[in-house]
């Protein structure tokens, strides 16, 4: 079946200027201040595509040029176990991961698959540049799986200490290559490596939060919830490393308001971080658009301390126009911080109450919901969406054999870009 892309324009979130997408536009070429660009879809009604499989049922609000194989969707269900424990009447859990009992079958067990199936489908067929993705773990696993399954050339850049996150159901296709920043480095170091590689015209940066396909892919978690609930939730909970997922659901909330059939309200946003890595929490509590100072040394030490390693982005899209500060200011809500001890308690409790293992990051979100209930930030009768961004790894490893990938190269971040490019180009 031939796929017809939907029509949309791009909007500069700082100035409101509308302009055309040149195919992989990550910023307004006429913008003079840092700002995200947002897709403004011609189709204003939220409608599922009955003719498309898996994740692509949300294609009407995705900036994609084609569909890819083997995609899966987040699954939303009304909670009984956790809801009963917390005394909540309308708690809905949107689960991204592996939990066949409820119909959730994401092979990589993470909502990062929603990003990968959207971003990679934004690439035109026959694209001759190699996609470059920097990741602390889950994003790398998701992009590797999607690119491997669909024969899309990919270079992953990760911290070597996070290599255990790269497990798969089968060996990766040769089109996927992995480079790593040496042991002791963090996610930001992986970004530095990726940026140096992208100085070569043979490679193209995926773009992170600036890529509309990444955000609109992640925003399908809210569409999944609204499909089940029939309305926009009152409150939204998610653990954040960059805050991109929270920005994404806020953007889809605005689209749903424009539709008008699912409510006219903004759901309050309650993102959370794993203490002591709390750069956005600290900035928000100071009500500062500017991020509070955090040195590279402090950031690495804090990243080493937290159990939810994926929540350790020290350069998140918080301050720029259309970023997390603007989302929180517009929607209302608050931020929470959760200790390693608290997340472990709620990880065990969630397994007992809902019957599935979850990642540390997802447990941070559960713990923050418990804090919100205790502080009465949410009412017992409100419609609450809890975004469980990953789970079912223990279950999938019971059901399937897994193989672990290894880096093809370990590269020091202080090497000049030309040397890094020379070594990386030999991989392809």
């Amino acid at each position: 079946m031939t796929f017809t892309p939907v029509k949309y324009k791009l909007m500069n979130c700082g100035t409101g200027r509308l302009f055309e997408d040149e195919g992989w536009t990550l910023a307004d070429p006429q913008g003079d201040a840092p700002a995200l660009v947002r897709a403004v879809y011609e189709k204003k009604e939220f409608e599922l595509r009955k003719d498309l499989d898996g994740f692509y049922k949300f294609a009407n609000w995705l900036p994609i040029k084609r569909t890819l194989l083997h995609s899966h969707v987040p699954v939303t269900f009304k909670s009984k176990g956790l809801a009963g424990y917390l005394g909540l009447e309308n708690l809905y859990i949107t689960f991204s991961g592996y939990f066949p009992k409820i119909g959730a079958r994401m092979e990589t067990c993470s909502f990062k698959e929603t990003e990968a199936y959207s971003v990679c489908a934004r690439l035109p067929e026959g694209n001759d540049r190699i996609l470059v993705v920097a990741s602390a773990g889950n994003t790398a696993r998701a992009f590797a799986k999607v690119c491997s399954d669909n024969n899309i050339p990919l270079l992953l850049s990760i911290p070597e200490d996070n290599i255990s996150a790269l497990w798969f159901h089968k060996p990766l296709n040769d089109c996927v290559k992995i480079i790593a920043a040496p042991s002791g480095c963090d996610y930001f170091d992986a970004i530095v490596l990726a940026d140096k590689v992208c100085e070569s015209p043979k490679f193209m940066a995926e773009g992170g939060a600036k890529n509309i396909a990444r955000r609109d892919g992640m925003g399908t978690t809210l569409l999944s919830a609204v499909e089940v609930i029939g309305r926009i939730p009152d409150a939204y909970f998610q653990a954040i490393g960059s805050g991109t997922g929270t920005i994404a659901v806020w953007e889809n909330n605005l689209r749903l308001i424009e539709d008008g059939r699912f409510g006219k309200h903004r759901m309050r946003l309650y993102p959370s971080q794993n203490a002591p890595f709390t750069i956005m929490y600290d900035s928000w509590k100071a009500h500062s658009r500017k991020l509070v100072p955090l040195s590279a040394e402090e950031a690495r030490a804090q990243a080493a301390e937290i159990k939810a390693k994926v929540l350790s982005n020290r350069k998140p899209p918080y301050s720029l126009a259309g970023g997390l500060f603007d989302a929180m200011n517009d929607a209302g809500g608050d931020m929470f911080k959760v200790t390693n001890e608290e997340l472990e308690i709620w990880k065990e409790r969630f397994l007992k109450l809902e019957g599935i293992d979850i990642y540390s990051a997802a447990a941070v979100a559960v713990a923050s919901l418990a804090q919100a209930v205790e502080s009465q930030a949410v009412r017992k009768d409100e419609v609450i969406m809890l975004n469980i961004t990953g789970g079912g790894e223990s279950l999938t490893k019971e059901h399937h054999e897994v193989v672990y990938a290894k880096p093809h190269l370990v590269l020091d971040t202080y090497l000049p870009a030309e040397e890094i490019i020379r070594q990386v180009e030999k991989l392809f």
Side-chain angles (χ1 to χ4, degrees), residues 14-313:
T15 64
R17 185 178 97 86
L18 287 169
F19 59 101
E20 296 296 331
D21 183 5
E22 297 299 322
W24 201 254
T25 304
L26 299 175
D28 180 357
Q30 292 182 25
D32 54 6
L36 292 177
V37 296
R38 184 182 303 156
V40 178
Y41 295 100
E42 193 174 272
K43 188 168 184 57
K44 302 300 179 193
E45 300 79 29
F46 167 46
E47 281 174 8
L48 298 172
R49 289 284 298 267
K50 303 277 197 294
D51 57 325
L52 297 175
D53 292 335
F55 171 77
Y56 297 108
K57 70 180 184 178
F58 298 119
N60 282 342
W61 284 356
L62 294 171
I64 57 175
K65 298 180 178 71
R66 54 178 167 150
T67 60
L68 302 172
L69 299 173
H70 310 314
S71 73
H72 298 285
V73 286
V75 174
T76 299
F77 64 96
K78 190 170 186 182
S79 169
K80 288 180 184 162
L82 181 63
Y85 187 89
L86 294 173
L88 297 170
E89 295 166 21
N90 295 297
L91 172 62
Y92 289 85
I93 293 173
T94 300
F95 186 90
S96 295
Y98 184 78
F99 194 10
K101 185 177 155 187
I102 63 162
R105 295 185 177 275
M106 286 187 179
E107 241 180 68
T108 66
C109 299
S110 164
F111 92 137
K112 298 298 183 179
E113 279 191 33
T114 62
E115 300 174 29
Y117 277 109
S118 183
V119 167
C120 295
R122 191 185 180 196
L123 289 164
E125 281 191 79
N127 167 61
D128 59 357
R129 293 168 74 199
I130 296 158
L131 187 65
V132 179
V133 173
S135 166
N138 290 347
T139 303
R141 194 165 66 252
F143 272 87
K145 177 220 162 353
V146 173
C147 290
S148 182
D149 283 355
N150 291 277
N151 208 29
I152 297 167
L154 172 73
L155 177 71
L156 289 175
S157 178
I158 66 158
E160 189 180 22
D161 290 342
N162 297 28
I163 193 69
S164 62
L166 291 189
W167 55 265
F168 303 94
H169 286 182
K170 59 187 180 189
L172 293 173
N173 180 324
D174 202 39
C175 64
V176 177
K177 304 294 183 187
I178 302 161
I179 60 172
S183 186
C185 291
D186 68 358
Y187 174 42
F188 186 71
D189 297 305
I191 292 172
V192 169
L193 273 186
D195 287 347
K196 287 186 175 181
V197 171
C198 288
E199 289 180 31
S200 162
K202 291 183 182 176
F203 297 89
M204 63 191 292
E206 179 268 330
K210 293 179 180 178
N211 193 325
I212 53 166
R214 178 180 272 219
R215 300 202 314 275
D216 290 355
M218 295 165 109
T220 60
T221 52
L222 177 59
L223 301 184
S224 165
V226 168
E227 179 193 352
V228 171
I229 304 165
R231 58 163 284 208
I232 298 163
D234 297 312
Y236 172 83
F237 287 81
Q238 187 202 323
I240 55 169
S242 69
T244 308
T246 302
I247 298 166
V249 295
W250 168 62
E251 291 178 317
N252 263 348
N253 189 162
L254 298 179
R255 292 182 184 117
L256 289 162
I257 288 171
E258 234 184 316
D259 178 322
R261 293 172 296 159
F262 303 94
K264 289 284 191 180
H265 63 284
R266 286 158 170 75
M267 60 183 183
R268 304 189 309 280
L269 303 173
Y270 293 102
S272 48
Q273 293 208 277
N274 186 185
F277 199 107
T278 53
I279 186 169
M280 285 182 279
Y281 169 89
D282 296 335
S283 305
W284 177 253
K285 288 299 187 183
H287 209 71
S288 165
R289 175 183 285 277
K290 200 175 168 192
L291 286 166
V292 296
L294 181 68
S295 72
E297 293 70 29
E298 288 173 308
R300 285 193 188 101
Q302 291 174 6
E305 212 175 311
I306 62 172
K307 289 197 169 174
K309 297 294 182 199
V310 295
L311 307 183
S312 59
N313 186 335

Side-chain angles (χ1 to χ4, degrees), residues 314-326:
R314 58 179 141 120
K315 292 285 175 78
Y318 174 86
S319 310
L320 78 176
L324 189 65
F325 182 81
D326 282 348

